[in-house]
Amino acid sequence: MTSIGGAGTSGMVDWNLAVATATRLVRPGPEVSRDEAREVVAELRRHAKASEEHVRAYTRMIPEGAEPHDTPVLVVDRAGWIKANVAGFRELLTPLLGKMQERRATTPGNALLGTVGGKVTGVELGMLLSFLASRILGQYETFAPATRDLPAGADGGGRLLLVAPNIVHVERELDVTPHDFRLWVCLHEETHRTQFTAVPWLRDHLQGEIQSFLAATDVDPGTVVERLRDAAQTLAGGRPEGEEGEPSPSLVELVQTPEQREILSRLTAVMSLLEGHADYVMDGVGPQVVPSVAEIREKFQARRARGASRLDLALRRLLGLDAKLRQYRDGERFVRAVVDQVGMDGFNRVWTSPNTLPTKTEIAAPADWIARVHRKADS
């Protein structure tokens, strides 16, 4: 097995073991013949290319004739998604894990944990990734470095991942037209790709915010490992709820400092904007090119809302995925309200600089963002 980013371990987490564990435990995808699999991959690639044109025309984020920095579109299986995300996690978390490793080394008795602790955490992370790998339809993977198997854009650019078996699974579960559903998914994910390729400062801004958040972290390593263990035990059917019958706190709720809360508020606002914008664009373009878009949207929204099971809901809570569902809803409302008031070009002022991004409060009150950005700029 190819190592993830060089050495397989980094003290706190055995990354290669995380990949091996997730790949071994992830559920098999839907049954398709070899010819069907080739057809799905080819169609997703065609839809991704078509979506690029549709999204650019609708959003007007890229001036006519301009060619932004390109990033690859990769159609992957569940194992490919796991490898890409472990590489991304490692890239982002290495500074924090190094800090935690130093702290652990100064604690009496913790030196004995060493490799054993890294392997335990690797297994637990792998269990969580095996759960998520069967649920993600697509993802613009922003931070992971390029590898031989998983290329990325030049100069640290990202890559668009389309997880073919999951798309096939959901289209069958919802009983919708496969051609339409695949294009609909590509429209959403291509919007994310357009966001990052059309706005050169966005990736560095997000990475800076995340690194500032991690740098301010002062969490005991054992606490983080305990949260991972809670999630793993939930996945294994152990304890989906806390001792008092309340859901376990999410990993995000390990936030301790006022500085971190401020950063998290800004990150939440940006993610709400990005997810809501993708949903808005998907619905805006959809009626023009996806004949059954209304049926797809209705069924997919119902699927999002109900979740798969009590286990699924417990893990959503623990991993903070319930917050992500709110981001789709709140962000889409913000984008729709702003476009209704000032048009698409007026909305696109949001991409001018980090200072024109909406705050978490403004996501809930679009008129406040309009007043701050438009009236100030037009006065």
Side-chain angles (χ1 to χ4, degrees), residues 10 56 88 129 144 152 222 226 240 244 283 286 300 307 330 339 355 368 377:
S10 59
R56 289 185 183 186
L129 287 170
E226 181 183 347
E244 301 301 322
D283 286 348
F300 194 77
D330 297 344
V339 173
N355 292 329
D368 292 351

Side-chain angles (χ1 to χ4, degrees), residues 55-197:
V55 169
R56 289 185 183 186
Y58 188 79
T59 64
R60 302 202 289 272
M61 291 178 66
I62 299 173
E64 188 174 348
E67 276 303 318
H69 175 68
D70 198 17
T71 56
V73 177
L74 307 177
V75 181
V76 299
D77 58 11
R78 290 170 177 176
W81 181 87
I82 288 166
K83 290 178 181 178
N85 276 267
V86 168
F89 288 153
R90 181 169 187 167
E91 184 80 3
L92 282 176
L93 295 178
T94 290
L96 172 63
L97 294 177
K99 178 180 176 180
M100 292 169 65
Q101 179 76 4
E102 291 176 5
R103 178 169 177 174
R104 190 174 71 177
T106 62
T107 303
N110 273 346
L112 297 175
L113 296 176
T115 303
V116 174
K119 289 187 179 300
V120 170
T121 309
V123 168
E124 291 167 343
L125 177 60
M127 292 178 70
L128 296 182
L129 287 170
S130 73
F131 169 81
L132 295 172
S134 63
R135 284 158 172 76
I136 303 298
L137 301 182
Q139 173 187 4
Y140 188 75
E141 214 292 314
T142 315
F143 302 113
T147 66
R148 183 181 61 186
D149 298 330
L150 293 165
D155 301 321
R159 56 194 169 214
L160 178 59
L161 305 176
L162 297 170
V163 190
N166 296 350
I167 292 172
V168 172
H169 171 77
V170 174
E171 71 191 27
R172 290 179 178 178
E173 178 187 327
L174 298 181
D175 190 24
V176 293
T177 305
H179 173 86
D180 288 3
F181 184 74
R182 294 167 193 176
L183 178 55
W184 188 72
V185 170
C186 287
L187 289 170
H188 180 100
E189 302 306 333
E190 176 58 36
T191 303
H192 288 315
R193 183 166 173 255
T194 298
Q195 290 163 349
F196 283 91
T197 54

Side-chain angles (χ1 to χ4, degrees), residues 333-352:
R333 280 202 297 253
F334 170 83
V335 176
R336 185 172 301 280
V338 172
V339 173
D340 285 348
Q341 288 294 313
V342 297
M344 185 65 76
D345 291 333
F347 166 79
N348 281 339
R349 288 192 187 181
V350 78
W351 312 116
T352 305

